């Protein structure tokens, strides 16, 4: 039996396919067809009870469609052995129980069309933004004919394009969910949908359920992060989610009952000679690396923006390596500005390797420097996919130590969504990559320039930097920066 057990099922066997009673004897108050420079406007009449599925009360009846509802249509026909496509939209008017249809181009007297309807109804535009609470209805095999007045009569069965799922648990439980692919945008002209797999924040209501998420059937592994004291990540493999038009419910796991789920801590703590440090879970994922649209005044070396996939889960230091941790491992302190909770600075590459080697002996772990891609993914919020100019948010003053003359301690500003501090500002952070230009095309687990030959790639800006160097996509070369402005962060 499929391990994905559904607590809610919605039958979609309602048979709704009634012919419209719209003919040439419609009242004269109905406007005639009109055209202007290839743009046609006419009335459209839709099957009664054309909508089936989640919102069965919203049918073609005059008292259930709402004025302003929009249906998006793409007409298709063949001319000279070539398939032609004509896009349009129809807006409902309850006063006359008809739709005002606008389309660009010629369509024959009868044919086929695709139709899409969004709940809540979306305004006519070049693109339709879809969130996780949007129901999308479709009929990709609808038919139409023109009546004697040139108006369009459509026969359609609009059914849900997606399934839906919600989560049950104790009231007020806060969680993040990943692994569910949701539609994110509909392009009116191309008739294409875009999707997103971002982490979704949810809260259980007083009745014990989260809102529904309307999702596609691409789920393979579901991840739930609970914002409890232990901050655990729960993972479970599924063969799929509810099929289009079906509903399901997933019980939220917890520390006492997570049978069938794999539990992983979202942080791990290590102690070396009485000094503790924490590593935060980042995870794996795909993101756009480089000067994405929120990055203001980027440099040329941040282009081209390219898609990067990191295939392995990893943890990153909650802070850069501090002077007290360095001293516990190495027995010395090379930093020029001294303080236990300040970043260790003024370290050459040989010293970096010596420190990491000694730390791995003591802890039995495999600590290393992050790759540049790992660094940027974590700075952007990792598996939670934040898209801010700085690591944590849009307001740099909340998240970064910058533009000051004295080296601050770690953790004096807010962390990003992963609980990681100071990825913008404080000290420049060394990655294991060599500085090299980007190239277009998708990348998987990249190490730019080869890595660990002459790593000289810095990220994040420092306490003396201007704000533009503290952006999540900003890059710099080690040889151009004084060593007392540079530190490093661990990953494993």
């Amino acid at each position: 039996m499929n391990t994905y057990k559904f607590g809610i099922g919605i039958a979609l066997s309602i048979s709704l396919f009634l012919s419209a009673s719209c003919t040439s004897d419609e009242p004269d108050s109905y406007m005639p067809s009109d055209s202007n420079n290839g743009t046609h406007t006419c009335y459209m009449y839709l099957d009664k009870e054309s909508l089936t599925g989640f919102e069965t009360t919203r049918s073609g009846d005059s008292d259930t469609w709402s004025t302003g509802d929009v249906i998006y249509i793409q007409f298709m026909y063949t001319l000279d052995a070539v398939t032609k496509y004509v896009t349009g939209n129809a807006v409902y008017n309850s006063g006359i129980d008809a739709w005002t249809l606008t389309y660009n181009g010629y369509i024959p007297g009868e044919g086929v069309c695709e139709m899409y309807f969004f709940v809540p109804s979306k305004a006519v535009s070049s693109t339709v933004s879809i969130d996780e609470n949007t129901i999308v209805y479709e009929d990709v095999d609808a038919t139409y004919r023109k009546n004697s007045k040139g108006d369009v009569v459509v026969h359609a069965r609009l059914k849900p394009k997606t399934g839906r799922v919600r989560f049950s648990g104790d009231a007020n439980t806060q969680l993040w969910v990943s692994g569910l692919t949701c539609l994110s945008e509909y392009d009116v002209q191309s008739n294409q949908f875009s999707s997103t797999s971002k982490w979704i924040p949810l809260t259980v209501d007083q009745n014990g359920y989260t809102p529904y998420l309307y999702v596609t059937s691409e789920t393979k592994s579901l991840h739930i992060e609970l914002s409890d004291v232990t901050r655990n990540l729960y993972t479970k493999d599924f063969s799929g989610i509810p099929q289009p038009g079906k509903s399901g419910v997933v019980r939220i796991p917890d520390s006492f009952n997570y049978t069938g789920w794999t539990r992983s801590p979202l942080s791990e703590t290590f102690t070396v000679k009485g000094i503790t440090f924490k590593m935060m879970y980042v995870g794996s994922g795909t993101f756009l690396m480089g000067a994405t649209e929120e990055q203001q005044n980027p440099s040329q070396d941040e282009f081209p923006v390219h898609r990067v996939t990191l295939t392995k889960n990893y943890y990153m230091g909650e802070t850069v390596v501090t002077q007290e941790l360095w001293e516990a491992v190495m027995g010395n302190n090379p930093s020029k500005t001294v303080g236990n909770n300040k970043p260790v600075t003024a370290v050459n590459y040989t010293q970096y390797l010596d420190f990491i080697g000694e730390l791995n002996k003591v802890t039995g772990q495999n600590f290393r420097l992050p790759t540049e891609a790992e660094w940027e993914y974590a700075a952007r919020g990792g598996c939670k996919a934040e898209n801010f100019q700085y690591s944590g948010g849009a307001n740099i003053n909340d998240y970064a130590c910058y533009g000051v003359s004295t080296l601050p301690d770690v953790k004096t500003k807010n962390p990003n969504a992963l609980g990681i501090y100071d990825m913008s500002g404080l000290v420049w952070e060394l990655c294991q990559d060599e500085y090299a230009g980007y190239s277009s095309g998708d990348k998987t687990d990249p190490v730019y320039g080869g890595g660990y030959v002459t790593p000289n790639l810095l990220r994040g800006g420092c306490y003396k930097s201007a704000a533009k160097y503290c952006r999540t996509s900003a890059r710099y070369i080690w040889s151009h920066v004084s060593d007392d402005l540079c530190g490093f962060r661990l990953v494993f």
Side-chain angles (χ1 to χ4, degrees), residues 212-373:
Y212 276 112
L213 301 177
Y214 294 89
V215 291
T216 66
S217 55
E218 300 177 7
T219 303
K220 294 182 180 179
S221 185
L222 185 64
H223 310 279
I224 295 179
E225 175 188 328
L226 296 181
S227 299
D228 53 14
V229 176
T230 56
R231 296 195 71 230
N232 286 314
L233 179 73
Y234 298 88
T235 302
K236 189 174 185 179
D237 292 333
F238 291 95
S239 61
I241 61 148
Q243 295 301 307
K246 299 290 185 179
S247 295
V249 62
V250 176
R251 176 68 187 180
I252 298 169
D254 58 50
S255 299
F256 304 101
N257 182 13
Y258 58 95
T259 302
W261 296 81
T262 299
R263 184 175 69 176
S264 303
L266 287 169
S267 65
E268 291 198 21
T269 301
F270 299 87
T271 302
V272 178
K273 295 183 180 179
I275 304 301
T276 62
F277 64 100
K278 186 179 291 186
M279 303 292 292
M280 309 304 294
Y281 179 81
V282 179
S284 57
T286 299
F287 72 108
L288 293 178
M289 185 170 179
T292 44
E293 61 182 10
E294 80 284 346
Q295 301 292 319
Q296 299 178 14
N297 302 314
S299 299
Q300 190 59 42
D301 65 355
E302 299 169 42
F303 294 99
V305 175
H306 53 290
R307 188 176 302 277
V308 170
T309 298
L310 300 174
T311 62
K312 299 177 181 179
N313 296 330
Y314 65 100
Y315 287 74
M316 176 168 277
E318 180 190 33
T319 71
V320 292
V321 172
T322 62
Q323 294 179 28
E324 65 177 2
L325 177 59
W326 181 280
E327 290 185 14
V329 174
M330 302 298 289
N332 59 58
N333 186 351
S335 307
K336 296 180 180 178
T337 303
V338 177
N340 284 343
N341 292 320
K342 296 184 185 299
V344 65
T345 60
V347 179
N348 63 42
Y349 184 56
T350 299
Q351 291 172 310
Y352 281 118
L353 294 183
D354 288 344
F355 170 84
I356 292 173
E358 289 298 319
L359 182 62
N360 287 340
K361 289 179 184 178
V362 172
T363 61
Q365 282 292 335
N366 186 28
F367 292 108
R368 56 180 174 83
L369 292 173
T371 67
E372 185 181 14

Side-chain angles (χ1 to χ4, degrees), residues 295-299 302 389-390 467-474:
Q295 301 292 319
Q296 299 178 14
N297 302 314
S299 299
E302 299 169 42
Q389 186 167 201
Y390 308 104
K468 68 176 182 178
Y469 296 110
C470 300
R471 295 177 296 105
T472 57
S473 65

Side-chain angles (χ1 to χ4, degrees), residues 430-477:
L430 182 65
C431 299
Q432 65 172 266
D433 308 62
E434 296 176 81
Y435 179 86
Y438 290 155
S439 60
S440 59
D442 295 353
K443 306 289 190 302
T444 300
D445 298 323
V447 182
Y448 296 93
Y452 275 134
V453 179
T454 53
N456 62 350
L457 196 288
L458 298 177
R459 285 304 206 109
C462 72
Y463 66 97
K464 289 186 177 181
S465 292
K468 68 176 182 178
Y469 296 110
C470 300
R471 295 177 296 105
T472 57
S473 65
R475 314 170 74 209
Y476 219 64
I477 303 175

Side-chain angles (χ1 to χ4, degrees), residues 20-70:
S21 59
C22 307
T23 61
S24 58
D25 61 354
E26 298 293 347
D28 292 339
S29 61
Y30 287 173
M31 69 177 184
S33 300
D34 188 27
S35 64
N36 182 20
N37 296 326
T39 298
H40 298 264
T41 302
C42 64
Y43 278 120
M44 182 184 85
Y45 303 100
L46 187 63
D47 288 338
K48 299 300 180 183
E49 299 183 82
S50 291
L51 192 67
T52 69
F54 300 129
E55 297 283 345
T56 54
T57 58
R58 294 179 64 97
S59 70
D61 295 333
S62 60
D63 61 345
T64 51
W65 289 105
S66 300
T67 294
D69 281 347
V70 182

